[in-house]
Amino acid sequence: MSGESFNWHEFLGRWQEEWVPRADEDGGQSIVPLGRPGADGAAIAAAEERLGERLPPSYREFLAVSDGWHVDQTAGVYQLGGAADIGWFQDPYDMTPLYEENLGDNPRKEDVLLAGMWQRALRLETDSDMSYALLDPGDSDQDGEWALYVYKGWGGELPDRYPSFRAYMEAMYRGFHSGRVERPDFVNATTRAQDAHVEEARLLALRGRYEEALPLLEEALSFGRPRSAVLLNQLRHLLAPHSSRGYGNLAADPRYLPEILPVEAMTPARGEWRLGGDDHWLGMMAARGAARKTAEIVLSTMRDGTHRYAPPGPWGRAVAEARESARWGATDAAWRVLRDALPLWEAPGPLLIAPIGLLADPVLGPLITPERGREILATPRAGETGPAPEPVPDLDPPGLAWLTEPAANRRPLDGYRCVWVEGIDPARLPALIGEEGAELSAPADPRMASWRAPKPHEREGMELWEDRAVVAVGRTAEAWAFAVDGHSHHHLNELFVSPAPAASSSGRAVVVWRDPRRSFPGDHPAAFHLSVAEQGEELYAFTVRGTEIQRFGAIPEALDPARLFCPENSELDCELRVLEALHTELGLSLPRFALTQGRLRTFTTRSWTRAPRAGEGFASISFVRHRP
């Protein structure tokens, strides 16, 4: 507030002039004097002498204009006293020890101030609902302003803090407006100005100037202005794409329903709705005006991953093209299609300022990172013009080296196993290496795919020695179809049979399996397997287990395990060397974003292990965690 001038006469006069009762109050209360004549200098000086403290600047200036005020909060403080009414609070309810006992060994400065506030504070209110307005001289700023705390004794929450008396009064004025927004006759210069700000912010947002739109909408929302919340939530949602936002009654409007209702269904579809389950959510949507049957269908498609964001026109065609790329793992290419088409997006009505429906699409939604959300907001659209933003960088690094990075979201004991087939449609992979009747699933989180892998004891007709994997499917930039078990918990043992020959009936196939060191159960050294096949025949292969190397066929020099797995190098260094060689020699890659954050289709493979032969044995161990 340093250097700012504030006209209390104008501010309080406007408040008094605009005053009307709330919509739920008796309409006869049309004239209520909110303030009193200002206190003269002698009265303010007498109060300061009695208190032994000079009052903070904004409160002194207020008293000189109005010696008290009818705040009229819905529940809380109703009346602020004048200079002769105020006095020290003196902590009559022993709040200090309650707050001090929770400070801990290294408390925050604000917690220390709050704990000491109760004995220092100046009490301002004279009428309230078990609430207190407390000015704290111990919590002051460089301008001499004291923080004001409002404590609602019936609520049990921490007090609300305002940096000064002026900040508190401005907040109460905004609350006065918010409490009367439902009155159709509540129209004045302030409401008209805030509504104009909302419209200005809407146009700024469509022109890509969302950073200018944000403060206008935030201020309008603090006044409770219609449309401000739904517009602001769209900006905030794209700035934090994985958060949850509500859009009020917008889902009931046929113009907005295809975009908004699926977005509203995202939280219950993820199983994160904690307020009474699906029935409560469906009832809430019905109360907002959305047909219950429609809401049920949308929730069902969101839950099973079959929902499709399908807007009309050129933007819709770009969305379909991007989905086709993303569903096979080409997420950067998909984003570039969306980015180029963003100016073609058309708003179905004035209350939609961004393609929010993208967030609910099971394939395209995960592509919208906070950085890409900002790029959407910074792109002019819906017929508006402005400078295009700087494109955000692609997210996928080339090759396979990223598999060694902690950022890949791999757990320390996880391994990975992959199959690549050159030049085929990924949709053919289930027929080549899938279990009997295998089909591609709806888009799924690849990070959770291995946890859905069928256990031998869980399926009829499945032998205990079998090792079937749930793999995520896609296509690399180099036109290799891939199938990846990104969190393999199985051990690369002597019964392993490479799926490369079966996969190679239509083109060259490569299989890689990394099995990390496991100390429980038993002691298994780290292992790495590579096999390459063509036309159903294995061309070459090697398996490195600890210091032991098994090899088959004419292995290219660039992939020679004796060169790549040097005893003097660490396990991580060896893994990195072989992955880089696979990229350089064979052109293999995997899309990091799709496999760690995206949604790919999955299927269950045939067993990666063969049946034990006569005289061979095997062990099957299951662990069950019991909660105490």
Side-chain angles (χ1 to χ4, degrees):
M1 290 174 55
S2 178
E4 293 184 32
S5 60
F6 188 74
N7 191 322
W8 282 99
H9 278 285
E10 179 182 323
F11 173 68
L12 297 176
R14 183 170 68 250
W15 194 340
Q16 177 69 74
E17 180 182 338
E18 294 173 348
W19 193 92
V20 294
R22 293 186 300 273
D24 59 349
E25 292 180 326
D26 183 359
Q29 303 175 16
S30 57
I31 301 177
V32 173
L34 302 181
R36 302 187 298 207
D40 59 24
I44 296 175
E48 292 177 330
E49 183 176 357
R50 171 171 58 85
L51 298 169
E53 285 274 5
R54 180 174 175 81
L55 296 172
S58 65
Y59 186 54
R60 293 183 94 255
E61 295 164 5
F62 161 78
L63 290 174
V65 175
S66 180
D67 194 24
W69 193 257
H70 182 62
V71 179
D72 189 29
Q73 288 183 313
T74 303
V77 174
Y78 303 144
Q79 183 73 42
L80 298 176
D85 305 311
I86 58 177
W88 297 113
F89 185 57
Q90 297 180 330
D91 194 11
Y93 307 111
D94 292 325
M95 304 295 289
T96 302
L98 294 177
Y99 280 77
E100 286 181 340
E101 69 183 16
N102 292 320
L103 287 179
D105 296 331
N106 189 26
R108 301 180 303 169
K109 177 182 177 182
E110 53 265 38
D111 293 331
V112 174
L113 288 172
L114 179 57
M117 181 270 297
W118 307 98
Q119 293 183 344
R120 296 188 302 259
L122 185 65
R123 179 175 177 176
L124 304 187
E125 89 291 338
T126 58
D127 184 19
S128 72
D129 178 12
M130 295 178 62
S131 299
Y132 309 95
L134 307 172
L135 271 175
D136 181 12
D139 186 355
S140 60
D141 64 15
Q142 68 275 13
D143 299 317
E145 294 289 353
W146 303 357
L148 189 147
Y149 291 85
V150 173
Y151 177 63
K152 298 175 181 178
W154 42 263
E157 298 91 357
L158 293 174
D160 295 325
R161 182 187 181 276
Y162 303 87
S164 67
F165 178 78
R166 170 185 160 185
Y168 166 73
M169 289 294 282
E170 289 179 312
M172 294 306 100
Y173 174 65
R174 295 191 294 269
F176 152 75
H177 267 264
S178 294
R180 288 152 177 81
V181 72
E182 298 298 329
R183 285 190 59 135
D185 61 341
F186 188 59
V187 180
N188 49 59
T190 302
T191 63
R192 286 190 289 268
Q194 291 300 325
D195 289 343
H197 288 168
V198 171
E199 178 59 18
E200 180 185 358
R202 186 184 75 84
L203 293 175
L204 285 170
L206 292 175
R207 292 166 187 162
R209 296 160 61 183
Y210 72 96
E211 291 175 310
E212 298 173 60
L214 275 168
L216 293 174
L217 291 173
E218 288 168 346
E219 182 182 28
L221 180 62
S222 72
F223 281 87
R225 298 315 302 161
R227 305 194 305 160
S228 59
V230 72
L231 297 179
L232 181 60
N233 273 350
Q234 292 171 64
L235 302 186
R236 289 175 172 173
H237 207 164
L238 283 168
L239 291 173
H242 304 299
S243 62
S244 298
R245 299 287 171 182
Y247 292 96
N249 298 331
L250 213 60
D253 190 319
R255 294 174 296 175
Y256 308 117
L257 183 148
E259 297 246 4
I260 297 301
L261 191 56
V263 173
E264 292 271 19
M266 290 173 68
T267 299
R270 290 193 299 257
E272 299 172 3
W273 189 260
R274 296 290 182 258
L275 301 175
D278 289 358
D279 283 342
H280 186 274
W281 181 82
L282 292 168
M284 189 176 72
M285 291 298 105
R288 293 180 182 177
R292 185 182 178 95
K293 186 63 177 177
T294 301
E296 288 176 345
I297 294 172
V298 168
L299 179 57
S300 176
T301 59
M302 286 295 299
R303 183 163 284 151
D304 64 20
T306 60
H307 168 70
R308 296 292 179 267
Y309 173 55
W315 167 246
R317 291 191 289 274
V319 167
E321 179 184 348
R323 183 184 297 108
E324 181 61 22
S325 294
R327 77 188 186 106
W328 298 120
T331 55
D332 284 333
W335 171 246
R336 289 192 290 272
V337 170
L338 293 173
R339 179 174 62 201
D340 293 345
L342 272 171
L344 304 176
W345 177 78
E346 293 290 341
L351 293 183
L352 210 64
I353 53 176
I356 292 296
L358 266 176
L359 299 176
D361 190 281
V363 173
L364 298 176
L367 273 60
I368 313 303
T369 62
E371 296 76 16
R372 287 170 171 172
R374 286 193 291 270
E375 190 171 0
I376 290 174
L377 294 178
T379 301
R381 54 200 179 274
E384 298 294 334
T385 59
E390 189 71 22
V392 299
D394 286 349
L395 298 178
D396 278 338
L400 300 169
W402 66 267
L403 288 167
T404 65
E405 301 171 0
N409 293 326
R410 291 184 14 244
R411 303 171 182 84
L413 296 180
D414 284 351
Y416 54 83
R417 46 188 175 178
C418 322
V419 180
W420 289 266
V421 183
E422 191 173 24
I424 72 164
D425 188 328
R428 294 185 57 196
L429 286 173
L432 294 174
I433 60 173
E435 67 177 1
E436 184 177 354
E439 295 181 351
L440 291 176
S441 73
D445 186 342
R447 293 167 294 178
M448 301 303 296
S450 66
W451 296 105
R452 298 195 306 278
K455 306 300 187 292
H457 63 281
E458 293 175 342
R459 289 180 54 179
E460 184 177 353
M462 186 169 170
E463 301 291 343
L464 291 177
W465 51 263
E466 289 193 81
D467 171 16
R468 306 187 195 184
V470 175
V471 290
V473 180
R475 181 189 293 111
T476 72
E478 299 83 8
W480 289 79
F482 66 78
V484 177
D485 177 8
H487 293 294
S488 174
H489 305 286
H490 294 272
H491 176 50
L492 179 58
N493 58 44
E494 299 300 328
L495 301 183
F496 165 67
V497 176
S498 172
S504 69
S505 61
S506 298
R508 187 170 49 157
V510 179
V511 168
V512 165
W513 188 343
R514 175 191 178 267
D515 183 6
R517 179 183 301 274
R518 303 171 194 265
S519 58
F520 182 83
D523 185 14
H524 299 290
F528 194 98
H529 172 83
L530 168 70
S531 51
V532 178
E534 191 168 4
Q535 299 300 317
E537 296 292 334
E538 191 167 73
L539 302 180
Y540 56 87
F542 68 74
T543 300
V544 178
R545 185 177 284 104
T547 58
E548 176 189 352
I549 299 178
Q550 296 176 333
R551 51 194 302 153
F552 168 80
I555 300 173
E557 182 180 357
L559 298 175
D560 187 346
R563 185 179 68 84
L564 297 173
F565 293 87
C566 301
E568 61 270 21
N569 291 335
S570 69
E571 178 186 336
L572 180 62
D573 287 338
C574 293
E575 180 188 2
L576 183 60
R577 284 162 61 92
V578 71
L579 292 176
E580 289 175 340
L582 288 169
H583 175 56
T584 302
E585 180 73 8
L586 301 178
L588 299 182
S589 65
L590 286 174
R592 180 175 64 182
F593 187 87
L595 287 167
T596 60
Q597 299 181 55
R599 297 294 182 270
L600 295 176
R601 305 176 77 179
T602 67
F603 71 93
T604 302
T605 70
R606 301 169 200 161
S607 176
W608 289 57
T609 55
R610 60 173 174 79
R613 298 189 182 107
E616 291 182 329
F618 72 96
S620 176
I621 302 176
S622 297
F623 296 92
V624 179
R625 177 179 294 175
H626 294 282
R627 293 184 178 180

